Amino acid sequence: MMELAERATHTDAVLFSERAVKTFLEAASAEYSFITEDEPRPCFAVLLGRCAGSEAVVEEVAFGRNARLTDPSAREEFASTIVPRFGTAYENPVRAWWLDPADLLTITRAADARGLDVLGSIHLHPDWHRLGPECERDRPLSDSPTPMDEHMFRNSGWPVNVVCYLERRYGGLYYSLAAWDASCLRLPLRTSHDRTDLFTVATHGAGLG
C-alpha cells in the first residue's frame, strides 16, 4: 500500500487551491475522453501542501505511474484480496490504480525539499454507469468512495482522500469533489477562487471541454 512517513492525527477540513483542482481536472478530462466500455481509464494524483492546525491545505498535485501490473505487491493484493472481495471487474488492469513506490518516493523527496507535505490522494470517478457496459448501469458512481476505495483508504492510512466525480452533461464536462479521511468519514472541502476565476465562471459557465 501507499504509506506516509508522518500522518496527521486529525483533519477537520480540506482547503483545495484552484490551481490544484485545475491541474487534476485537465489530466482527468483527458483520460475521460478515451474511456470505452472496456477501459474505465483511471486518473490518480498525490496531494501536496501543508497542515495548518487541523486543516489540510492542498496547494498542488503530483502524478506518478500506475504500477498495477509491474509491482509484485500490487499483483498479490489484487489477486488475493481485491478481486475475491470486490469482484472480477477488478481483474481489468485499468480499473484501479497502484502508485509506483519509486514515484511516490521521488514525489515525497521533491515535496520535502520545497517545504511541502504529502497529504493524501485524489482519483477520478467517471460516470461509468453511463459509459461502461450494460452490467454497470445499476451501479452509479459519484464522489463517494466505492467499497474498494474504502479498503484502500483504510489500508493506506492517508488523512485526506479526495474523489473527483466527472460526467458529461449538455455538451460539457461537470465535476464534483468530496474528501474523506482514513476512516472513510467525509471531510468538509472548500476550493479557492481568485477574482479572475470567478469572472470566468460567471461569464462563460462552469462546464469543461
Side-chain angles (χ1 to χ4, degrees), residues 3-83:
E3 297 288 345
L4 285 179
E6 297 181 3
R7 296 173 182 169
T9 57
H10 181 71
T11 304
D12 284 336
V14 179
L15 308 181
F16 215 123
S17 76
E18 181 69 10
R19 178 176 62 177
V21 172
K22 286 183 175 180
T23 300
F24 183 78
L25 284 174
E26 287 176 359
S29 60
E31 294 297 336
Y32 182 98
S33 68
F34 290 106
I35 289 176
T36 69
E37 285 194 1
D38 298 320
E39 289 198 17
R41 298 298 292 254
C43 188
F44 178 95
V46 175
L47 305 176
L48 305 178
R50 297 177 174 85
C51 291
S54 60
E55 295 180 330
V57 183
V58 179
E59 299 180 21
E60 300 177 12
V61 298
F63 299 93
R65 293 168 294 179
N66 189 354
R68 164 75 192 277
L69 295 180
T70 58
D71 186 276
S73 297
R75 291 200 302 268
E76 171 61 23
E77 175 76 4
F78 275 85
S80 65
T81 302
I82 301 299
V83 172

Side-chain angles (χ1 to χ4, degrees), residues 82 85-87 90 95 123 125 139-141 144-155 184:
I82 301 299
R85 184 172 176 180
F86 302 110
Y90 289 99
R95 184 64 186 253
H123 75 277
H125 276 185
R139 291 181 285 187
L141 291 175
S144 295
T146 65
M148 204 280 277
D149 290 337
E150 293 182 356
H151 171 78
M152 298 297 281
F153 293 172
R154 289 190 172 97
N155 280 275
C184 303

Side-chain angles (χ1 to χ4, degrees), residues 6 9 13-14 27 33 41-42 49 61-62 65 77 88 98 115-116 122 130 135 140 185 196-197:
E6 297 181 3
T9 57
V14 179
S33 68
R41 298 298 292 254
V61 298
R65 293 168 294 179
E77 175 76 4
T88 57
W98 188 285
L116 299 177
I122 179 172
R130 298 191 184 101
C135 62
L185 299 176
T196 301
D197 292 328

Side-chain angles (χ1 to χ4, degrees), residues 64-191:
R65 293 168 294 179
N66 189 354
R68 164 75 192 277
L69 295 180
T70 58
D71 186 276
S73 297
R75 291 200 302 268
E76 171 61 23
E77 175 76 4
F78 275 85
S80 65
T81 302
I82 301 299
V83 172
R85 184 172 176 180
F86 302 110
T88 57
Y90 289 99
E91 292 176 345
N92 187 332
V94 294
R95 184 64 186 253
W97 192 276
W98 188 285
L99 179 60
D100 187 296
D103 288 352
L104 176 58
L105 180 60
T106 298
I107 291 168
T108 302
R109 287 175 172 172
D112 185 62
R114 299 170 55 212
L116 299 177
D117 298 317
V118 174
L119 302 175
S121 69
I122 179 172
H123 75 277
L124 169 67
H125 276 185
D127 50 343
W128 183 237
H129 49 286
R130 298 191 184 101
L131 303 174
E134 188 67 30
C135 62
E136 300 287 344
R137 298 293 186 262
D138 61 346
R139 291 181 285 187
L141 291 175
S142 67
D143 55 19
S144 295
T146 65
M148 204 280 277
D149 290 337
E150 293 182 356
H151 171 78
M152 298 297 281
F153 293 172
R154 289 190 172 97
N155 280 275
S156 70
W158 283 3
V160 179
N161 305 276
V162 177
V163 180
C164 174
Y165 176 67
L166 190 61
E167 65 177 357
R168 184 171 296 282
R169 301 291 297 273
Y170 308 108
L173 289 179
Y174 294 83
Y175 74 96
S176 62
L177 299 173
W180 310 84
D181 67 13
S183 298
C184 303
L185 299 176
R186 189 160 186 164
L187 299 170
L189 185 151
R190 303 176 182 90
T191 57

